[in-house]
Amino acid sequence: MEIRYDWQETEIKAIYSTPLLELIYQAASVHRQYHNAKQIQVCKLISIKTGGCPEDCSYCAQSSHYKTEVKPQALLDKETVVKIAQQAKKSGVSRVCMGAAWREVRDNSQFEQVLEMVREVTALGLEVCCTLGMLTKAQAQRLEEAGLYAYNHNLDTSQKYYNTIITTRTYEDRLRTIENVRQTSVTVCCGGILGLGESVEDRISMLHALASLCPHPESVPINILSKVKGTPLEDRPDVPIWDVVRAIATARIIMPASDVRLSAGRAKLSAAEQALCFLAGANSIFSSDNGHMLTVTTPCPDYDADQQMLNVLGLEMRPPFVRAETPNSSFPEKV
Ligand code: SF4
């Protein structure tokens, strides 16, 4: 399987619609071509600035547009963040993702504090990812200088369905931030969410948008909606596990060298369901010491439970800074 950037939506739909076990087999084969299938990267998400976000993402507990259980908190201090990261490293975590509920990065003292956090957590020998909202090219460069390894900015859903879910910024805004990150050596983490009420066509369209980015995002999180009380999506039906497996397998086949992350919503999956996701090409999870991924309303399995599951499945935790094994050994450069 070669890395391609010219996928057509009809081709992606044909892959997504392949009989399930055949689809899993194909995805597992591609996975083994590019990755060590015994390894899973375990990531830790730290919410460095929780709640009070001016954006109106319909799924989010942190939006100030909705009445949820999340209480806005000030930016965490650097010492707290470094302590959480040290603890996470001891548990086998190789990537720390620092999230701030901001619309965009501002050039102020808070950004300076985040840059300092990036420097210190990177110095622990961990991959550091930030998700801070929209970003200019100059800000991306400053994060690069601080040692940032990855920047997360998700497309969430299809371009067509996007403004049903978010009205305070556009799909183009998202793409512009990703492009700004691409001007630096910081890698891109970009994926979406299943269960927002989108159609299969919307899922195909989102996967098409991701696979048309050149190069592909090095990291593609596939999230399952965590229904949060008080948000417009609190009553959405559950996403069938078969849809999750199809989306992961399709992402694996069309973006073979990328890490595919089984992200939010994993807490609701059994170990057997997660095993199917790993077989279909997911090679990363988020884990936590307190059973929560991002906020009090986004549960996440804890380190011990995850370690046990990985032991049962014969999987090991991947060390930091391991990249996909392409035939030419490194991740493809921009063409
Ligand atoms: S997803 Fe991010 S940008 Fe959207 S409301 Fe939540 S914290 Fe704000």
Side-chain angles (χ1 to χ4, degrees):
M1 171 68 64
E2 282 180 11
I3 294 177
R4 287 176 49 191
Y5 305 94
D6 60 350
W7 291 100
Q8 302 299 306
E9 288 201 21
T10 48
E11 291 177 288
I12 297 175
K13 185 159 189 192
I15 294 171
Y16 185 92
S17 313
T18 303
L20 190 68
L21 294 186
E22 176 59 25
L23 175 61
I24 294 172
Y25 175 74
Q26 287 179 13
S29 307
V30 172
H31 188 188
R32 276 151 185 75
Q33 205 186 328
Y34 285 86
H35 302 270
N36 178 345
K38 272 198 227 135
Q39 290 186 334
I40 295 285
Q41 183 173 43
V42 182
C43 312
K44 162 77 178 161
L45 188 53
I46 308 176
S47 182
I48 57 170
K49 156 70 184 81
T50 303
C53 182
E55 303 285 73
D56 69 351
C57 309
S58 303
Y59 49 82
C60 184
Q62 305 199 68
S63 168
S64 56
H65 294 255
Y66 316 123
K67 239 179 151 38
T68 71
E69 285 172 13
V70 171
K71 302 270 167 291
Q73 286 169 15
L75 186 68
L76 290 184
D77 60 59
K78 188 183 67 186
E79 287 66 33
T80 306
V81 172
V82 170
K83 224 161 119 194
I84 298 172
Q86 280 167 331
Q87 194 56 41
K89 187 181 175 188
K90 275 193 207 141
S91 308
V93 163
S94 59
R95 175 182 289 218
V96 166
C97 182
M98 306 196 298
W102 289 334
R103 170 178 164 74
E104 71 231 309
V105 172
R106 302 240 169 94
D107 295 307
N108 57 17
S109 63
Q110 297 212 333
F111 184 39
E112 298 302 324
Q113 289 174 59
V114 172
L115 291 168
E116 208 36 51
M117 290 174 197
V118 171
R119 280 185 204 105
E120 296 220 3
V121 179
T122 300
L124 298 175
L126 290 165
E127 294 175 19
V128 181
C129 175
C130 278
T131 181
L132 312 170
M134 291 184 282
L135 197 67
T136 65
K137 190 175 154 196
Q139 291 162 341
Q141 281 165 343
R142 294 210 61 207
L143 285 162
E144 176 187 33
E145 282 156 23
L148 190 72
Y149 187 74
Y151 195 82
N152 165 266
H153 205 61
N154 291 328
L155 290 182
D156 289 350
T157 188
S158 70
Q159 183 154 24
K160 197 162 143 225
Y161 195 59
Y162 190 81
N163 58 11
T164 314
I165 300 299
I166 301 147
T167 66
T168 48
R169 55 161 194 262
T170 65
Y171 213 68
E172 290 68 34
D173 289 333
R174 300 248 105 187
L175 291 168
R176 198 168 312 116
T177 290
I178 294 162
E179 186 48 39
N180 287 339
V181 176
R182 270 292 174 232
Q183 305 297 314
T184 70
S185 62
V186 175
T187 61
V188 170
C189 175
C190 182
I193 309 173
L194 305 177
L196 304 175
E198 76 284 351
S199 62
V200 168
E201 276 63 36
D202 289 313
R203 289 180 191 161
I204 304 296
S205 169
M206 178 188 79
L207 289 165
H208 178 250
L210 293 168
S212 302
L213 294 171
C214 181
H216 294 152
E218 287 81 353
S219 159
V220 179
I222 301 289
N223 296 284
I224 309 160
L225 176 70
S226 260
K227 289 174 267 188
V228 177
K229 204 161 167 283
T231 63
L233 302 185
E234 64 178 330
D235 292 324
R236 285 276 169 220
D238 285 341
V239 183
I241 180 65
W242 314 119
D243 290 13
V244 177
V245 172
R246 280 189 188 283
I248 288 172
T250 306
R252 166 53 63 229
I253 291 170
I254 62 177
M255 293 172 280
S258 304
D259 285 329
V260 176
R261 301 187 193 277
L262 177 57
S263 306
R266 186 172 68 90
K268 287 189 88 173
L269 303 184
S270 68
E273 289 170 331
Q274 292 178 61
L276 263 184
C277 295
F278 299 142
L279 196 55
N283 62 344
S284 172
I285 54 174
F286 285 87
S287 190
S288 185
D289 49 357
N290 57 11
H292 291 108
M293 182 163 154
L294 180 61
T295 68
V296 282
T297 51
T298 309
C300 168
D302 67 30
Y303 295 136
D304 291 343
D306 283 334
Q307 183 64 67
Q308 260 180 19
M309 176 183 69
L310 296 182
N311 287 346
V312 167
L313 300 178
L315 297 170
E316 59 195 46
M317 293 188 190
R318 190 173 89 184
F321 308 110
V322 172
R323 301 292 284 273
E325 293 163 17
T326 66
N328 296 322
S329 85
S330 63
F331 199 87
E333 293 304 319
K334 195 166 183 150
V335 291

